[in-house]
Amino acid sequence: MIGALRLLHPGWRDLVEVAIVAFVLYRVLLLIHGTRAVQMLLGIVVLVLVYAVAWFAKLTMITYLLGLVFTYGAFAVLVIFQPELRQALAHLGQSPVSRFLVRRLGVTEVAEEIEEAVERLSRSGTGAIIAIEHEMGLGEYVESGSPMQARVSADLLQTVFTPYSPLHDGAVIIRGDTIVGAGCILPLTQRPLPDRSLGTRHRAALGLSEETDAIVIIVSEETARISVAQGGRLLKGVSASQVRDLLSGRQPRPTAEYPIVELGV
């Protein structure tokens, strides 16, 4: 084994190929994360493992049947993964420059609508939790609530969180410039919260930020204060304009009224 390894002389081309393949696999995993394709992919892996065990154990009938499945399964894969394949081809067809410009313009517009919404909700003391999806998909959490396809607007967000409305207790999930889910259930953090004024919404926001790269905005029903959870951290005492800066990728400036205190959890 050691002698065989000594015969390997990887060059710069090999390193480039490994880097490209790793990057492609990473992008594919990001593309299917949070979708039903993950469970289907796991099912395919299980079938491959069963086939390998049957082949080594010389279980002829099982090997033959699974061979037929794999032979005609390629056509089924094209049908099953049609949404993901279409989305991947759409990403390939877009130039990086145009995608960057469109994204920046969309982020700015969405940030302004969310800023206005949380400002209204804070003034009225209405509790709310808004999750903004980034690279990691939130499809599994969307399925826990009511799927939607509505453009982000301050009026719609305020309407969703109106007290006693059917969806006001759950979270709103935003993907790009679209609200894709409302009344969604988020995972609760298991870490103790030292601040007793933080409730279930804050625990849910922290829990989602620990598992994904989403930005989660919370408006407290008890204190009407705005908080933001990101990367397992909770920022308290945030203003609506500071929320807009965070969503736009800018570093918000603390003020005397809104010092942006990071809660130690």
Side-chain angles (χ1 to χ4, degrees), residues 2 13 20-21 37 40 52 80 91 109 149 151 162 167 173 179 191 193 199 212 216 227 229-231 233 236 239 245:
I2 296 177
R13 290 184 179 86
I20 292 175
V21 172
M40 296 176 184
I80 292 172
H91 280 296
E109 184 179 348
Q149 285 294 322
R151 191 174 181 83
T162 300
L167 303 175
I173 296 179
I179 298 176
R191 293 185 293 173
L193 301 181
T212 70
V216 191
S227 303
Q230 183 180 18
R233 301 181 302 123
K236 291 183 59 182
S239 68
D245 292 338

Side-chain angles (χ1 to χ4, degrees), residues 32 37 40-41 44 76-86:
I32 67 174
M40 296 176 184
L41 189 61
I44 294 175
V77 167
L78 292 177
V79 176
I80 292 172
F81 293 100
Q82 180 188 2
E84 287 75 19
L85 292 173
R86 184 170 54 190

Side-chain angles (χ1 to χ4, degrees), residues 202-218:
H202 296 84
R203 298 187 66 88
L206 268 175
L208 185 66
S209 72
E210 290 170 351
E211 297 184 10
T212 70
D213 60 352
I215 295 179
V216 191
I217 304 164
I218 315 101

Side-chain angles (χ1 to χ4, degrees), residues 52-125:
V53 171
W55 187 81
F56 280 110
K58 300 186 182 302
L59 303 177
T60 309
M61 180 177 294
I62 296 178
T63 305
Y64 173 75
L65 292 176
L66 288 178
L68 291 178
V69 171
F70 293 143
T71 300
Y72 299 101
F75 301 100
V77 167
L78 292 177
V79 176
I80 292 172
F81 293 100
Q82 180 188 2
E84 287 75 19
L85 292 173
R86 184 170 54 190
Q87 185 178 359
L89 292 175
H91 280 296
L92 289 176
Q94 296 175 356
S95 67
V97 175
S98 63
R99 187 164 64 240
F100 174 78
L101 292 175
V102 171
R103 183 178 179 183
R104 294 310 305 169
L105 291 174
V107 165
T108 301
E109 184 179 348
V110 170
E112 292 174 351
E113 291 293 333
I114 294 177
E115 174 194 10
E116 184 176 350
V118 296
E119 177 69 29
R120 295 181 190 176
L121 294 167
S122 178
R123 284 201 308 263
S124 62

